[in-house]
């Protein structure tokens, strides 16, 4: 690393070195039988240069040849990619809980014990295909730049999921995460077995406008479109419907939507983004009012605003942080909780659809806020209770219209889905 | 390099082991609107080691050669853990021992062309979009991915294969008032940069479709009879049927496996489907998969009857079948999994497009793709745009079209198949890993009774 820093410094450019190592272990049980146990270990370094208003980039998996890595980045400087920003000098940042010492010692055997425990609890209660999965992730990341920033952080998480797959392929699933290995609560597993009872009755709701409850697992349908609309890059490209709407009411006043990387109650909290800019609790929509766009260094400079600490080396599609350059991204986006339990929400709904899983949430006219999803799992509600599974039905709409028709927010947030609660909307188009 | 990776195999005392070392060289030049937003040329490398020990089969991916011993120990420990806890021991279907080096036919290898020329090529097509005043931005990139793969197994197979994939692809976005519309532009292939030359007509034609969508009518949700164009028919074949022909996806799903029994009449009699990675000079072409098995043409469906499926060595043994050479990884970061190569519905020489339109009479003609997804038996995908068809004539343009269905129902609802097959130039199947060479296609097809999402 010392050689790389010296070599990058000799270019006369501003530089940023991002390095990350990752170790993973995972076990998966399919149809009640152990199917896989795998471990991976990877590392890498990527380098960004800024010189004379131009940007250069390179990466490697093995720092065998620091000069070669720097030469690659210098060569890409010549291609003419404009960069109007400087790397930040960040010396202090809040201490967040991102790692548990206990995670280091977790073996594949221990993951398997938890996988089998979840399986046994589900198999005891349902006669159907049961799958479980437990995965451990431990990473160490570091950002060094020519402005004097040198920040290292470790992260750990254990992710657990259990699912019941019906004969028709509908998946009733539950997920949980923590900094180290804790058992999935029995109540969570019991909950999906109760929902599974609805699988035996197939319903086809009448086409038209319905009340629809989006559960946290399906929330990406709505949040991907918000990510696009509030992105400083979309504003720069003039493709966002939110242009000129800062401080205007765009959602129902019962909705507050925030990106809060400082929330270290769940794994993945971040004190700085992947460019070393301090993160902050960032309310995107406060009681229905749009508060403003989010930026990385690059698009903040292009727009002439202050970066908001949202430059991350990933996108809504995921991505390998070594191979990617930072771009504006909301990785900790969730609605503030409301006051209604799940049963309260069903009662409020009276009649409608609960969306547990969306098919095609990643397609359609995302920039415009449009969505049109199939239901990988949708349950039909009548008289305030779930009475069956929705079959061959699509739910469509535009988020900037339906968010105005939010009628209630749940009080139970889901840590496996960025702490999102369920949200109930009125007047959503349903077709079949 | 083969000798070096064979040394790693010697670290493992197991019934079988294989290792793949890969150098992946990538060049990317991406435009965001008129601005050149990203340029880089890089290479990265890594290893994937797989170990079979007394019926337990595990893999470890690692990127540092000094981690080889640790990776070998982890893979072996996991294989032993599996061996102690599984009821059905894994075995691997036989495959010939092969020692060879393979370089596919390439016309204009990307390595022979300067970075400046590649950027200029992308800039030219990008300008075609942006010269239309209704197009507000683009996200268009030149990309090349060269996988230099070395594979060795304890059975004695030693293969060195190179795969080069190039594309100029991305998204164009047009706007009028408060309405934004976008469309994908996908050109490329696996046999050289010549695929990207002289494509002005494609970009001009699709730019017109993109901007025409601004005055198109949103589709009305409901159930329609539809004709899918070749691209959408290919996506349908891939998403709705193809994934269920991947043996690993049905292996542990008893209900699905029963429905997908070989010999079952799953489709209408007009439907025959193949997957053939051996078609030369197509996007999905390769000679050997990532477990050293020669790629084979597989007849998946014949006149609606299920006749075959795609296998790895592991699933082939589990199903009592032969390995088909369809076990492929994205790159050095992943163990291979069962993937489609080039999947397509076979054409019916007697049915041209006009005949399909007459047979449709009233319904929708849906074109292009914006991606799709499957969950269980259900699938959904977006058409890029579409048209009303009335009395067999193509009419008003439609937008915001998403269709869904159940695979088993829909396959039986295919009423006719055209005579005009085309294969895709750009892949991106995301079954856990991204397969850039996933190729699909087919002729125009007519399907009855499709659920279309939209405003009611």
């Amino acid at each position: 690393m010392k050689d790389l820093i010296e070599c990058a410094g000799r270019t006369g450019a501003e530089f940023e070195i991002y390095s990350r190592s990752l170790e993973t272990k995972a076990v998966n049980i399919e149809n009640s039988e152990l199917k896989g146990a795998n471990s991976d270990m990877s590392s890498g370094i990527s380098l960004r240069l800024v010189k004379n208003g131009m940007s250069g980039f390179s990466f490697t998996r093995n720092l065998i040849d620091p000069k070669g890595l720097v030469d690659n980045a210098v060569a890409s400087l010549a291609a003419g990619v404009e960069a109007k920003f400087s790397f930040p000098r960040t010396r202090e940042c809040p201490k967040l809980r991102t790692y548990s010492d206990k995670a280091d010692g977790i073996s594949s055997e221990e993951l398997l014990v938890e996988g089998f425990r979840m399986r046994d609890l589900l198999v005891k209660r349902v006669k159907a295909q049961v799958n479980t999965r437990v995965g451990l992730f431990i990473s160490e990341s570091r950002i060094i730049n020519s402005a004097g920033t040198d920040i290292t952080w470790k992260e750990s998480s254990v992710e657990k999921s259990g699912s019941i797959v019906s004969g028709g392929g509908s998946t009733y699933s539950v997920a949980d995460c923590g900094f180290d290995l804790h058992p999935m609560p029995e109540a969570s597993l019991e909950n999906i077995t109760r929902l599974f009872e609805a699988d035996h009755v197939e319903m086809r709701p009448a086409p038209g406008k319905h009340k629809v409850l989006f559960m946290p697992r399906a929330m990406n349908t709505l949040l991907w479109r918000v990510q696009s609309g509030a992105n400083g890059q979309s504003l720069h490209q003039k493709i966002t419907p939110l242009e000129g709407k800062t401080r205007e009411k765009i959602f129902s006043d019962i909705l507050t939507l925030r990106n809060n990387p400082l929330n270290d109650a769940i794994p993945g909290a971040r004190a700085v983004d992947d460019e070393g800019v301090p993160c902050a609790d960032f309310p995107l929509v406060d009681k229905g009012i749009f508060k403003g766009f989010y930026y990385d260094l690059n698009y903040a400079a292009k727009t002439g605003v202050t970066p908001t600490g949202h430059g991350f080396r990933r996108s809504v599609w995921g991505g390998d942080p070594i191979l990617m350059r930072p771009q504006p991204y909301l990785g900790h986006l969730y609605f503030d909780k409301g006051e209604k339990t799940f049963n309260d929400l069903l009662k409020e709904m009276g009649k409608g659809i609960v969306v547990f899983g969306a098919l095609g949430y990643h397609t359609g006219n995302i920039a415009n806020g449009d969505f049109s999803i199939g239901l990988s799992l949708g349950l039909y509600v009548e008289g305030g209770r779930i009475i069956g599974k929705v079959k061959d039905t699509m739910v469509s709409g535009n988020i900037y219209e339906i968010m105005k028709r939010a009628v209630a927010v749940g009080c139970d947030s889901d840590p496996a889905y960025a702490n999102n609660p369920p949200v109930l909307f009125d007047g959503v188009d349903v077709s079949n | 390099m083969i000798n070096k990776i064979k040394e790693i195999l010697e670290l493992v005392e197991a019934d079988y082991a294989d290792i793949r070392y890969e150098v992946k060289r990538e060049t990317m030049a991406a435009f965001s609107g008129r601005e050149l937003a990203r340029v880089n040329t890089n290479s990265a490398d890594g290893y994937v080691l797989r170990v079979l020990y007394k019926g337990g089969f595990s893999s470890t991916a690692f990127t540092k050669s000094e981690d080889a011993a640790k990776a070998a120990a982890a893979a072996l420990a996991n294989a032993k853990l599996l061996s102690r806890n599984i009821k059905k021991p894994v075995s691997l279907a036989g495959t010939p021992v092969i020692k060879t080096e393979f370089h596919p036919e390439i016309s204009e290898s990307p390595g022979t062309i300067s970075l400046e020329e590649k950027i200029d090529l992308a800039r030219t097509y990008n300008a075609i979009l942006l010269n239309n005043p209704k197009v507000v931005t683009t996200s268009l990139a030149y990309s090349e991915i060269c996988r230099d793969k070395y594979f060795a197994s304890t059975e004695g197979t030693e293969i060195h294969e190179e795969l080069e994939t190039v594309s100029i692809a991305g998204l164009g976005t047009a706007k009028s008032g408060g309405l934004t519309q976008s469309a994908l532009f996908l050109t490329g292939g696996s046999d050289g940069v010549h695929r990207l030359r002289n494509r002005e007509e494609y970009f001009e034609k699709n730019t017109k479709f993109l901007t025409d969508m601004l005055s198109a009518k949103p589709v009305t949700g409901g159930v329609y009879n539809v004709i899918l164009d070749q691209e959408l028919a290919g996506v349908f074949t891939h998403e709705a049927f193809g994934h269920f022909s991947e043996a690993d996806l049905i292996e542990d799903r008893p209900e699905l496996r029963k429905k997908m029994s070989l010999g079952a009449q799953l489709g209408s009699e007009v439907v025959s489907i193949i997957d053939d990675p051996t078609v030369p000079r197509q996007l999905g072409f390769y000679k050997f998969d990532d477990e050293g098995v020669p790629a084979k043409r597989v007849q998946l469906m014949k006149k609606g009857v299920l006749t075959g499926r795609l296998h790895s060595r592991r699933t082939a043994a589990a199903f009592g079948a032969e390995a088909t050479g369809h076990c492929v990884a994205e790159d050095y970061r992943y163990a291979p999994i069962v993937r489609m190569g080039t999947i397509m519905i076979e054409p019916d020489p007697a049915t041209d497009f006009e005949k399909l339109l007459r047979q449709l009479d009233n319904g929708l003609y849906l074109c292009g793709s914006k991606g799709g997804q499957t969950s269980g038996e259900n699938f959904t995908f977006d058409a890029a745009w579409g048209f009303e068809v009335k009395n067999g004539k193509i009419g008003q343009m439609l937008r915001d079209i998403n269709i869904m269905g159940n695979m088993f129902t829909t396959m039986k609802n295919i009423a006719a198949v055209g005579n005009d097959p085309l294969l895709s130039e750009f892949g991106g199947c995301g079954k856990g890993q991204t397969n850039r060479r996933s190729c699909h296609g087919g002729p125009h097809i007519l399907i009855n009774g499709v659920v279309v999402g939209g405003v009611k």
Side-chain angles (χ1 to χ4, degrees), chain A residues 365-382:
Chain A
N365 192 344
I366 289 174
N368 214 44
D370 298 335
F371 65 90
S372 186
I373 51 168
L375 303 183
S376 58
L377 182 60
L379 299 183
Y380 188 65
V381 174
E382 230 175 61

Side-chain angles (χ1 to χ4, degrees), chain A residues 24-40 108 110-120 122 130-137 157-164 173-177 181-184 189 192, chain B residues 334 337 432:
Chain A
T24 67
K25 292 176 185 169
V27 298
N28 62 301
I29 291 163
E30 288 179 24
N31 197 25
S32 299
E33 299 291 336
L34 176 60
K35 186 71 181 183
N38 298 297
S39 307
D40 293 323
S108 295
E110 289 170 283
L111 301 180
L112 184 59
V113 168
E114 172 61 5
F116 278 153
R117 187 191 70 86
M118 291 193 293
R119 173 201 65 182
D120 293 344
L122 290 171
V130 165
N131 302 333
T132 64
R133 180 181 172 83
V134 189
L136 166 70
F137 306 83
S157 72
V158 175
E159 297 175 4
K160 306 174 286 282
S161 64
S163 57
I164 305 165
S173 69
V174 61
D176 190 17
C177 62
L181 187 56
H182 292 283
M184 166 98 74
L189 293 160
I192 58 167
Chain B
Y334 301 98
I337 55 173

